[in-house]
Amino acid sequence: FPQSQARTLLGLSADPPIALFFGTIRPSKGLEVLLEAWPLVVADIPGAILLVTGKPYKGLDTSKTVALIRRLGIENSVRTRFEQVDPVDTNTYYRATDVVVLPYHDIGTSGVLRYAYNSARAVIATAVGEHSSRIVEGQTGHLIPPGSPEALAAVLVDALRNRSKLRSMGEAAQAYAADSSGRHES
């Protein structure tokens, strides 16, 4: 369904650029790198919103994440939901956003990447694990080095300033996903 409807369902304004960090929150996923990059993003794009949505892994204490958000002074531009999202509602989060961000330190495979592509969303991710082979640079998303808030911020600012290109990249990602799922390995 349309982005505007998804944003309404989540209580978000129709206008701002929105980035999404989604899925189980665990140390290997590099959320702190994204949060450290975010002040640089909102300095260039004051209305930008970051959605951080997911269940903490094995009871991970999110108070450190909340403290980091406060220390960085980004509490007005970051929306958190630290709980499991009903699968029925998952698509609403993807559809409400402009780009999905995966700043992982380490990963084998990524269900979030697949879901983003199936939801026609471009992905900005670190060049680790399958991200390196499934993200077509500049076509379905962007790859960045792991652990670099500055590199992540630069790519995010550039991407969020050109939301029409992000939409085109999301469409290419969806086509890529459809083509990849039609292939069968033996």
Side-chain angles (χ1 to χ4, degrees), residues 75-118:
E75 57 269 29
N76 291 332
S77 63
V78 178
R79 310 286 186 273
T80 59
R81 181 176 176 191
F82 296 126
E83 61 188 20
Q84 182 73 39
V85 174
D86 187 316
V88 172
D89 298 328
T90 298
N91 193 47
T92 304
Y93 283 88
Y94 285 89
R95 296 299 299 166
T97 63
D98 296 296
V99 65
V100 176
V101 187
L102 307 174
Y104 299 177
H105 298 296
D106 184 40
I107 191 75
T109 61
S110 175
V112 175
L113 173 66
R114 286 177 176 76
Y115 206 101
Y117 276 15
N118 287 327

Side-chain angles (χ1 to χ4, degrees), residues 75-186:
E75 57 269 29
N76 291 332
S77 63
V78 178
R79 310 286 186 273
T80 59
R81 181 176 176 191
F82 296 126
E83 61 188 20
Q84 182 73 39
V85 174
D86 187 316
V88 172
D89 298 328
T90 298
N91 193 47
T92 304
Y93 283 88
Y94 285 89
R95 296 299 299 166
T97 63
D98 296 296
V99 65
V100 176
V101 187
L102 307 174
Y104 299 177
H105 298 296
D106 184 40
I107 191 75
T109 61
S110 175
V112 175
L113 173 66
R114 286 177 176 76
Y115 206 101
Y117 276 15
N118 287 327
S119 298
R121 290 299 175 258
V123 174
I124 297 172
T126 49
V128 297
E130 82 170 339
H131 294 168
S132 299
S133 62
R134 294 192 52 88
I135 294 174
V136 182
E137 178 59 43
Q139 293 179 31
T140 64
H142 296 288
L143 291 167
I144 57 160
S148 176
E150 297 80 11
L152 177 54
V155 171
L156 266 168
V157 166
D158 185 56
L160 292 173
R161 285 189 182 279
N162 194 345
R163 292 162 75 190
S164 62
K165 183 175 182 187
L166 280 176
R167 280 189 291 280
S168 296
M169 292 172 76
E171 291 167 6
Q174 190 174 46
Y176 176 88
D179 183 51
S180 296
S181 67
R183 295 184 198 150
H184 299 285
E185 296 178 12
S186 16

